[in-house]
Every structure is written in C-alpha cells, then in structure tokens.
Amino acid sequence: MVSAFEWYGCLLLLTGVAGSVSQRTDPLTPPAPEYAHSIRLDGDIILGGLFPVHARGERGAPCGELKKEKGIHRLEAMLFAIDLINKDPDLLPNVTLGARILDTCSRDTYALEQSLTFVQALIERDSTDVRCTSGEQPIFAKPDKIIGVIGAAASSVSIMVANILRLFKIPQISYASTAPELSDNTRYDFFSRVVPPDSYQAQAMLDIVTAMGWNYVSTLASEGNYGESGVEAFVQISRESGGVCIAQSLKIPREPRLGEFDKIILRLLETPNARAIVMFANEDDIRRVLDAAKRNNQTGHFLWVGSDSWGSKISPVVQQESVAEGAITILPKRASIEAFDRYFKSRSLSNNRRNVWFAEFWEENFGCKLGMHGKRPGSPKKCTGLEKVGRDSTYEQEGKVQFVMDAVYAMANALHRMHRDLCSGYPGLCPRMSNIDGKELLGYIRNVSFNGSAKTLVVFNENGDAPGRYDIYQYQITNRSAEYRIIGHWTDQLHLNMNAMQWASGDSSVPASVCSLPCQTGERKKVVKGVSCCWHCERCEGYHYQASEFTCQLCPYEQRPDQNRTGCQPIPIIKLEWHSPWAVVPVFIAILGILTTTFVVVTFVRYNDTPIVRASGREMSYVLLTGIFLCYVTTFPMIAAPEVAVCSFRRIFLGLGMCFSYAALLTKTNRIHRIFEQGKQSVAAPRFISPASQLVITFSLISVQLMGVFVWFVADPPHTIVDYGEQRTQDPENARGVLKCDISDLSLICSLGYSILLMVTCTVYAIKTRGVPETFNEAKPIGFTMYTTCIIWLAFIPIFFGTAQSAEFSYPDLKPWAHSFSASVSLGMLYMPKVYIIILHPEQNVPKRKRSFKAIVTAATMTNKLSQLASERPNGEVKTELCESVDNSSEYRRLLYQAQFVNVNVASGSMT
C-alpha cells in the first residue's frame, strides 16, 4: 500500500511542495505564494500539524477566506507550545522538537492530499523514470520524517487523515474532533484526542434540554461526521432516557445552494412548538443559520442549544446578536492561557516570519494592505507594520488554544517517557530513537497523565478519548454589551444556575418547547417507544374508533365508525331493488317468457289433437312447458327482498324448473335412443315407451330434486342473513351489508348440481341420437337445445363465482338471467317452430298414413346403414355394394319408401 503513494511523493519533492519558508528581509512583504501553504520548523523530532487556516472555498476553489481564530490562533498555539517545550530543561532535554504544519482549508479531501506530505519519508521512491531537462541526475530533497500529527480540527478531516496515518503507524492527537465514530479503536487505532467525544457532549446537552423542561426539540447538523454523529448520539441517548421528543432532524448540505438556509428555517417552522433547536454544526453553518432566521423575521422564536463548535465564539454571532440572544452553548472545560495571550499580542511581521499566513492575518485583522502582493487589493489603508494585536484590533483567545497546547504536550510527554526508557539518560536522541516506532509511541501516548496548560488532568482511555468536562454558556445581551456568560458546568452530571439565565423576551421564566399538541377527535395518542412524554396523533383508521385517549378499538363486525370516530354505528343494509337495471331487465325477460310460454300452452291445448301436437308428445310437452314456465317464474323470488317465505321459494324454485325441463328432455332423448338401439337388434318395441311410462320416469326424476329440497329444509331451515364481508371496503364510508338468503355456495352447487347432471346426461343422449334420420326431427332440436344450454351454463358458472365480491353481481342477480336464457332456448328451439306451423301453416298440420313399428325401425336402420357406408366408401363402391346386396330385394324398396314418409309418431308413441 505504501507504493500506491509513490508517484505522489515524487511529485511533491520535484515541485517543491515540501519546501520550507524562505527568509525575507522586508517585513512588510508577504510570503511568496508558492511557499504559503505550509510551515516548517527544523528539529530532532518533527511533529505534523493540521489546522483550518482557511475556510472551505467556493466555486471549485479549495480554500476560501482566512480564519483568524480557529486557524491562526490554534496554529500559533502549537508553535508556542513547541517553543515552551524546547526551552524546558526537564522535558525532552537536549532534544529539539520541529514541526511541519499544513492548512486543511476546512475540507476533508484537500486535507487528505496535504497529509500525504507526512508520509513521504516512509514511501519508497523510484527515480529511474525521472530525468532533468539538463540531462543531469535529479537531486531529491530528503523529506522530514513525521513521528506524530497534531490535528485535525473537523471530525470529517480527522477521519479522512486517520485512515492514511494508520497505514504508516503515525500517531495522531486531535484538539477539536469530537465525533463518536472516532472512538472505534478497531478502525482508528492510532487516533487520540484531548477533547471528550460527542457522546459525552450529547448527554450534557440532553441534560440541559431536560432541565429547561423542553420535551419537544428539533436537531440541526452539518453534513459530515461531526454533525451527523453528534445528532445521532443525541437522538439515541434521548430515546434511551426518555422525556424528549425529536420533532425534526435536519441536515445542512456540505455544499449548500443559494437559499438553502432559508429553506431550513421554513422547515423548522413547520413544527412551531419545537422552538428548541439542538445544533451540531460548524461555525460557518451556525452563522448562516442565524442570518437566515434573522432574514425571515424569526428573532426570538428559536431557542438555540449549540455544541462545542459554537461554544463561546464571537464570529457566529457578529451582527446578529439579537437572533442569537438566549442561546445556550457548551464547551469543553477550559481556561484562558495568559502566557499565550502575552505571546500572541507580541507577534508582529518582523518577529513571526515562520508563520507564512501571518501576513494575511495581519491584513485581515487590521483591515489594511501589505504591498503590491497583499491579499486585500481593495483596501485603501496600507499596513505600517507597527500595528499591535489587542491594541489596534479586538482580541479574544480562541476556545481550543488550551487543547492544542495539551495535544502538543501529550505528544512531548509520551516522547519524554520513551526517551527515558530507551535512551537511559543518553543526551539527545539515542540510536534506539533514531527510527521511532509509531505503534510503540502510541502505547506511551495512551499512558500519559499530566496536568495540562489549564491545570486540568490530561489522560486517555483505551479508545484514546479524554474525559468529559464541559462549561455551559448562555449568550446574553445587557445594556452595556453582549457576551457569553457561564451558567453552569457538566462533569458526569449537570450543575445549572437557573437564576443566572436571561431570555430575549425579558421574562425570567423559561420559554416553552413542549412536545405534543392535544390530539383531535378521532385520533389517539401513540406514545413514542422509549420516550414517554412524546406522542404522535394517529387517526383511528379503517373500522377502528377512538375508545380512549391512547387506544383505538375495532368496531363490531356489523358496525362502522361514525363521522367523528368516537363511536360505532350500524352499517347500512342494501338489497337488490325492483327499480335497479339488474332487476328490471330480468323481470322484463321473465314476463315476456311467461306470456310466450302461456301462449304456447294455450296453442297446444287448443290444437291438442292435431298431428303436430300429438307428434311432439303431448304429455311430455306439457311437463317441459311447465319447467320452462317455472324457470321464468324463478326470477321473481330471486329478485324479491329476502325473507323467510321468499327464501323458501328460492330453495324450491332454484332447481325445480330446470329439473322439470331436463327430466322431460332426458326421458324423450332416452326413449328415442332406446327405440333405435332396439331396432338394430329386434323388431319388438322396447319397454316403457308409452306416454304413461314416460310420465312415471319423468316424475321419478323430479321427485329426487324435491326430496333433496325437503332434506335441505329439514337440515337447515331457510332464513335470511346480512353479509357484511361481501361489501366490506377499505373505506368504512362505502361499507354495506347485503341482505340475502342463507344459501351458501356449496348449497347452491348441490341444488343446481342435480339439474345440471340431468342436463349433461340429456346432452349425452342428444349426441348419441344425432344420427337419427332427418325425418325423425325431434332428436336434432333437442340436441341443439342442449348444446346451447350447456354453453349458457358454462359461461354462467365462472361469471357467478368471479363476481362473488360485488353486491351488484351476486348470484341473486345473475341466476335469473341463466334460468331465463335456458328457458328461452328450450322454448325457442323446441316449440316456436311447431307453433309457427300450427298458426301460420295449418296445411302442414295434417295426418299421414301410419306405419308399423317394424317398418319404421327397419327403414330407419337401413337409412342409417346407407349414411354410414356413404361416409366410409367412395361413391362407386358404395353403390355397387348396395346394389349387389339389395338389388333383387323388393322389400328394400318398400322399406326405403316408408322411411321417406315416416312420421315423428315415433316420439309420440302412436305407431301400430
């Protein structure tokens, strides 16, 4: 993995990225731009340093404006600490500390590129492909070996850099990174910090919110490890402890677009009761959030609770003091280092040449311009070099100065103990420390224990974290000035002075930021799991109603919630109305069918002794017409409002009409089949073909249906039910109960099954008698009738069961259609042609000469044989064969003649 950085290390060496600061004779001349990216101090041991000297750049630029406090103050704190250590005879005696300090520009990717400088000495370089333009061998500058790094500030930058430094076993001590993620010793094993992680800070902030009585807050985080992990820790701890609800968790993008902060303010206003805003955001984002709140006229509305990134900094609240008033912030417990104040105020352009960014700070701090290379070309004022920090400009020590110095001292103390153990009084660096092992140094770092610059104990736990000690501040505005005042502290528990607090409203009472508003009617309070004080108002959905403040209950099956969902009301009951189109059309068809059937019956009665009526089989025809009539009548009980009497009629007529019809047709087709089957074997007439026998057979078949209905009545007496499941829609407003007779699908199938069995059997016989000569014309209409009826019922069955969930298409509606269509087919195909002849062509309704049964059957049999042979042989062969067999038979001619004029008396039984 080291070789992966080889190309970049060579590039750094050749381009002078590792160049040191040049000495300048003119103190008013700023450093040359090519050297203005790093600081290098010679020493026996070189420490790396990462500081956000500049802000994040815009429009693709890596760096932006200078950061006077977070950048220059902290950087100078490291230089000051190194000076003190090098002067201390008791700490690293005869060993000089040096430094290589880089600017991260507050951007993790840029910091990663810069941190590659720290690992150059550990990268194997291949110079075979490097050639100078003059042809001479290239001379490589020997890179400084960095044994440890101080930094970085932002957690996202520290995470990025830590992933590189651990590969080369370079220990790292941060002075400001507080992301809980960095406590993972398996991933960031070479990372330590002198500030407590955000898990402690989150607990302290939660204790503050709880002490204020705020149980409804929003969180706001800058995108990145610091902000996101801080908010995540706060949310997790609040859920575990209970008492605080999170209204919204918003995130500030790493590269916010124009108007982004106004959108954030508007989103926070979507939950106006959540006035308290817990912020884990960087300094720049805090300033822009406050500015957006001021721009949207929300001064005094929000109650800010800021993390240590806000602390007691002045820059976030400059020119927006009113909107920041009352903000409660937290900062790791610190003290102002007076020695640093004296040191920093004494810095000038002449005595601080080692800081390549000091000239830029000078221009920014005093609002002047240094020569023609100055960073402020538009400034009318020229710098004299005689300006003084703290006298000609405001000065306040940055909050993390103490921790920068503690980080440097922690590294120095670890090196001192290592030197004591390895060198045993050897002056300077002994050979055993000429090549310091990073893992061994890490062990010394984790075991240091000393009083830091603020006289507080500096120690590390097994994860490299410092203990949690915080000061609590509130930003207050008085008649004289605006300032941060300490109102308490946190060390494992909160100590808060409520009397020292001051709010923008001028009221001494704490503003409210409560969790939940009262729920509306029909809504229940759903308590957030683990947070007993917070709830969401959840509407009782579906068929539930509000039973109490916290519960919704399901209405009884036959009821639905009322409009307010505070109780239940009966579900409306519907039934098929007579005026419905699904009732009007079947009733019309039924009435028309009844009238037509009645007309046919009257016609047959009037012409009862005519050949057509007698040939149709008068007795069986009347039975069949009765069945057709009953099929039409069935429509009325099927559509009528269900009650016990109607349900009784439904059960009786459900299959009775069909049973009458198909029992009569089955008897007729069976009789024709038996007659012609018997004729092939004997000239004797088959048994039970007389009209009386046919009636007995027919009514025997019908009695089976009646017996089944009787058993059904006994086993399950008819009654009505209301089916609430058929129309139980997702929206209770559309729910309906369907009033119907208690006839299950199984009962329906059993009731119709017998009639369908008769129908199928009749169809089978119709198929068997399809070869009867055309003159025996009763069989073929029956066949066509049965084929059509089968098609109707094959279509009805899937339609009925496929629409079983719709009240408008349930079986009381479709059943009359199927009955009426079946009856109409039988009536139209079997009787309308006969009525047509009887009424309009009476000349065809005349008697013909009767033939004996023997002659009829023999002629039909010969005709069948002729038809079969004609279908099996070519014309010439058939003719020759038949002529040879019957040419000399006069009986053949006689029977063939009879076959042409035989009457359908076969069906009526009037043969002699």
Side-chain angles (χ1 to χ4, degrees):
M1 189 171 293
V2 172
S3 59
F5 299 99
E6 196 170 316
W7 62 273
Y8 197 80
C10 183
L11 179 62
L12 291 174
L13 293 172
L14 293 176
T15 56
V17 170
S20 61
V21 179
S22 61
Q23 301 295 323
R24 298 183 302 275
T25 56
D26 185 3
L28 298 183
T29 302
E34 60 269 27
Y35 301 113
H37 67 277
S38 68
I39 295 175
R40 181 178 181 274
L41 298 180
D42 291 329
D44 301 323
I45 298 176
I46 306 299
L47 301 181
L50 292 172
F51 296 92
V53 180
H54 292 87
R56 184 187 299 117
E58 299 179 355
R59 298 186 181 91
C63 302
E65 61 184 11
L66 183 77
K67 289 190 172 184
K68 296 190 297 181
E69 297 175 351
K70 294 179 67 174
I72 300 301
H73 283 207
R74 295 177 182 180
L75 182 153
E76 288 291 344
M78 180 175 179
L79 296 177
F80 176 60
I82 290 176
D83 291 343
L84 294 179
I85 293 169
N86 287 336
K87 295 176 183 179
D88 191 344
D90 298 324
L91 187 60
L92 287 176
N94 299 317
V95 176
T96 304
L97 286 183
R100 186 64 182 277
I101 302 175
L102 303 176
D103 181 10
T104 64
C105 290
S106 306
R107 187 187 298 270
D108 50 3
T109 53
Y110 182 78
L112 177 63
E113 296 176 4
Q114 294 295 301
S115 63
L116 294 177
T117 304
F118 298 148
V119 300
Q120 290 175 33
L122 302 176
I123 299 176
E124 297 179 2
R125 293 182 294 277
D126 183 8
S127 61
T128 57
D129 294 335
V130 180
R131 295 290 184 271
C132 296
T133 56
S134 62
E136 298 179 358
Q137 290 294 325
I139 300 175
F140 293 92
K142 184 179 180 180
D144 296 321
K145 182 179 179 181
I146 307 299
I147 60 94
V149 174
I150 305 300
S155 295
S156 59
V157 175
S158 289
I159 288 174
M160 189 75 77
V161 173
N163 287 318
I164 296 297
L165 297 181
R166 70 184 297 269
L167 299 178
F168 298 93
K169 299 181 179 180
I170 299 177
Q172 174 186 2
I173 302 178
S174 175
Y175 50 83
S177 297
T178 57
E181 182 180 352
L182 289 165
S183 297
D184 187 353
N185 201 38
T186 60
R187 296 177 57 191
Y188 308 103
D189 45 345
F190 281 82
F191 178 84
S192 304
R193 50 186 163 190
V194 292
V195 289
D198 286 337
S199 54
Y200 296 154
Q201 183 176 197
Q203 181 63 60
M205 296 174 74
L206 179 64
D207 291 346
I208 293 171
V209 169
T210 304
M212 294 293 105
W214 300 334
N215 59 9
Y216 194 47
V217 302
S218 293
T219 62
L220 186 58
S222 292
E223 184 177 5
N225 296 91
Y226 171 77
E228 294 179 38
S229 59
V231 165
E232 182 180 354
F234 180 85
V235 172
Q236 181 178 354
I237 295 173
S238 65
R239 287 175 179 172
E240 293 174 354
S241 61
V244 176
C245 297
I246 307 300
Q248 295 189 75
S249 288
L250 305 183
K251 184 167 60 176
I252 302 172
R254 194 184 303 270
E255 301 288 345
R257 294 175 294 182
L258 185 65
E260 187 71 36
F261 291 92
D262 291 324
K263 294 180 181 178
I264 290 174
I265 295 299
L266 294 177
R267 287 194 60 187
L268 291 174
L269 290 174
E270 292 176 1
T271 52
N273 290 338
R275 297 177 60 189
I277 311 298
V278 177
M279 298 182 66
F280 281 84
N282 59 55
E283 181 180 339
D284 297 332
D285 288 342
I286 294 170
R287 184 178 66 253
R288 287 183 281 188
V289 167
L290 295 177
D291 184 53
K294 182 179 180 180
R295 204 164 44 245
N296 286 273
N297 298 321
Q298 296 303 318
T299 299
H301 175 76
F302 294 111
L303 307 171
W304 310 104
V305 181
S307 62
D308 63 343
S309 60
W310 186 337
S312 59
K313 295 185 180 69
I314 299 298
S315 57
V317 298
V318 172
Q319 296 182 354
Q320 42 203 19
E321 291 81 3
S322 58
V323 73
E325 184 179 5
I328 299 175
T329 61
I330 189 171
L331 194 64
K333 196 172 187 65
R334 66 180 179 88
S336 181
I337 312 301
E338 296 182 2
F340 177 78
D341 290 340
R342 293 192 298 269
Y343 162 80
F344 194 79
K345 290 179 180 180
S346 65
R347 296 296 88 191
S348 65
L349 293 174
S350 59
N351 63 12
N352 198 20
R353 298 175 186 175
R354 60 184 181 180
N355 187 345
V356 296
W357 297 288
F358 197 72
E360 186 178 352
F361 165 79
W362 198 267
E363 291 183 327
E364 191 73 23
N365 191 53
F366 297 108
C368 59
K369 178 181 178 182
L370 284 172
M372 59 182 301
H373 297 289
K375 296 290 185 178
R376 298 172 61 91
S379 177
K381 178 183 176 183
K382 283 192 175 184
C383 299
T384 63
L386 301 177
E387 296 86 358
K388 191 174 181 60
V389 176
R391 184 193 66 187
D392 300 317
S393 65
T394 58
Y395 167 78
E396 183 178 357
Q397 187 179 125
E398 201 274 333
K400 293 294 193 296
V401 165
Q402 167 197 342
F403 300 106
V404 174
M405 296 182 65
D406 287 346
V408 177
Y409 267 90
M411 191 74 72
N413 275 275
L415 288 170
H416 179 76
R417 294 190 180 187
M418 176 183 277
H419 182 270
R420 184 183 58 189
D421 293 344
L422 299 182
C423 296
S424 302
Y426 185 91
L429 287 181
C430 63
R432 294 184 63 183
M433 285 191 67
S434 59
N435 189 15
I436 297 176
D437 180 52
K439 192 171 185 61
E440 186 178 4
L441 177 59
L442 177 65
Y444 283 97
I445 292 174
R446 294 292 172 84
N447 290 313
V448 298
S449 178
F450 64 96
N451 288 326
S453 54
K455 306 305 179 184
T456 56
L457 185 65
V458 177
V459 292
F460 300 101
N461 63 13
E462 66 277 5
N463 296 322
D465 294 331
R469 294 184 292 262
Y470 297 97
D471 284 326
I472 313 299
Y473 293 84
Q474 187 183 38
Y475 188 70
Q476 299 179 357
I477 300 178
T478 62
N479 295 330
R480 294 176 296 176
S481 62
E483 61 180 349
Y484 292 96
R485 290 187 179 180
I486 295 180
I487 58 173
H489 65 274
W490 188 93
T491 307
D492 295 331
Q493 62 180 353
L494 180 66
H495 302 275
L496 198 62
N497 184 4
M498 300 294 291
N499 296 326
M501 304 186 72
Q502 178 180 314
W503 304 99
S505 60
D507 192 352
S508 59
S509 60
V510 179
S513 182
V514 295
C515 182
S516 301
L517 298 175
C519 293
Q520 298 179 359
T521 303
E523 295 180 343
R524 72 180 181 96
K525 293 180 179 179
K526 183 179 180 181
V527 178
V528 178
K529 185 177 180 180
V531 187
S532 59
C533 70
C534 290
W535 63 84
H536 299 298
C537 291
E538 188 177 80
R539 185 169 179 78
C540 297
E541 297 291 347
Y543 291 82
H544 293 79
Y545 71 99
Q546 184 183 0
S548 67
E549 186 179 7
F550 297 98
T551 59
C552 291
Q553 289 186 0
L554 185 65
C555 286
Y557 191 69
E558 69 280 0
Q559 295 183 353
R560 66 181 183 183
D562 56 23
Q563 188 173 5
N564 294 327
R565 291 189 175 271
T566 56
C568 297
Q569 61 184 7
I571 295 177
I573 299 175
I574 61 172
K575 62 182 184 298
L576 187 63
E577 301 292 342
W578 289 101
H579 56 77
S580 170
W582 299 103
V584 171
V585 176
V587 167
F588 175 77
I589 295 174
I591 293 174
L592 186 62
I594 290 172
L595 294 176
T596 305
T597 304
T598 303
F599 175 75
V600 172
V601 171
V602 171
T603 301
F604 266 53
V605 171
R606 181 178 178 183
Y607 297 95
N608 191 54
D609 293 325
T610 61
I612 290 293
V613 176
R614 296 182 63 188
S616 299
R618 289 172 294 184
E619 297 80 1
M620 299 305 296
S621 292
Y622 291 138
V623 174
L624 180 57
L625 287 169
T626 301
I628 293 173
F629 183 85
L630 291 176
C631 285
Y632 286 121
V633 171
T634 303
T635 299
F636 298 96
M638 289 296 175
I639 294 177
E643 56 185 32
V644 175
V646 172
C647 293
S648 300
F649 280 114
R650 284 190 184 182
R651 290 192 180 189
I652 295 171
F653 289 107
L654 187 62
L656 187 61
M658 292 176 58
C659 187
F660 263 82
S661 300
Y662 299 130
L665 288 175
L666 176 60
T667 303
K668 294 182 73 172
T669 53
N670 174 265
R671 181 170 179 266
I672 295 172
H673 175 72
R674 288 189 296 114
I675 287 173
F676 284 97
E677 287 296 318
Q678 180 71 19
K680 296 178 182 179
Q681 303 172 4
S682 171
V683 295
R687 301 167 57 189
F688 308 119
I689 63 174
S690 65
S693 300
Q694 298 299 295
L695 288 175
V696 171
I697 294 172
T698 300
F699 282 106
S700 297
L701 295 174
I702 294 172
S703 65
V704 175
Q705 173 74 16
L706 293 175
M707 184 63 67
V709 172
F710 176 77
V711 172
W712 189 7
F713 268 78
V714 174
D716 183 18
H719 60 279
T720 60
I721 61 169
V722 179
D723 188 352
Y724 293 99
E726 189 171 290
Q727 285 291 293
R728 196 173 181 85
T729 58
Q730 292 184 352
D731 185 3
E733 290 297 323
N734 298 327
R736 299 292 184 271
V738 182
L739 180 64
K740 58 171 63 174
C741 293
D742 187 19
I743 302 178
S744 64
D745 291 345
L746 179 61
S747 301
L748 175 65
I749 293 173
C750 292
S751 179
L752 294 178
Y754 180 67
S755 298
I756 293 175
L757 177 64
L758 294 178
M759 179 181 67
V760 173
T761 307
C762 185
T763 304
V764 172
Y765 277 110
I767 294 173
K768 288 185 176 183
T769 59
R770 70 185 185 279
V772 173
E774 294 181 1
T775 50
F776 297 89
N777 53 12
E778 187 73 11
K780 285 183 171 55
I782 292 176
F784 291 138
T785 299
M786 299 316 301
Y787 304 152
T788 307
T789 304
C790 287
I791 292 173
I792 290 174
W793 282 94
L794 285 174
F796 163 75
I797 291 174
I799 292 175
F800 167 72
F801 288 102
T803 58
Q805 298 303 316
S806 172
E808 291 295 329
F809 291 92
S810 58
Y811 72 83
D813 301 333
L814 292 181
K815 189 67 170 58
W817 293 76
H819 278 77
S820 296
F821 287 156
S822 300
S824 299
V825 169
S826 299
L827 186 64
M829 290 190 174
L830 294 178
Y831 293 102
M832 293 314 295
K834 295 178 177 58
V835 172
Y836 174 78
I837 293 175
I838 292 173
I839 302 299
L840 300 180
H841 295 282
E843 70 277 4
Q844 297 183 15
N845 190 15
V846 294
K848 296 184 179 180
R849 184 164 58 93
K850 295 183 178 180
R851 303 293 177 183
S852 66
F853 177 79
K854 175 182 177 182
I856 293 171
V857 172
T858 304
T861 303
M862 293 300 295
T863 305
N864 283 340
K865 184 174 181 182
L866 286 172
S867 301
Q868 293 174 1
L869 290 174
S871 63
E872 296 174 358
R873 303 290 185 85
N875 293 337
E877 295 179 8
V878 175
K879 184 176 181 180
T880 302
E881 181 178 345
L882 292 177
C883 288
E884 289 176 356
S885 62
V886 298
D887 186 43
N888 297 323
S889 176
S890 60
E891 183 66 16
Y892 166 75
R893 292 186 181 89
R894 183 178 62 82
L895 292 176
L896 185 62
Y897 176 80
Q898 290 176 348
Q900 299 297 324
F901 294 98
V902 71
N903 195 274
V904 289
N905 293 334
V906 172
S908 65
S910 59
M911 301 170 294
T912 59

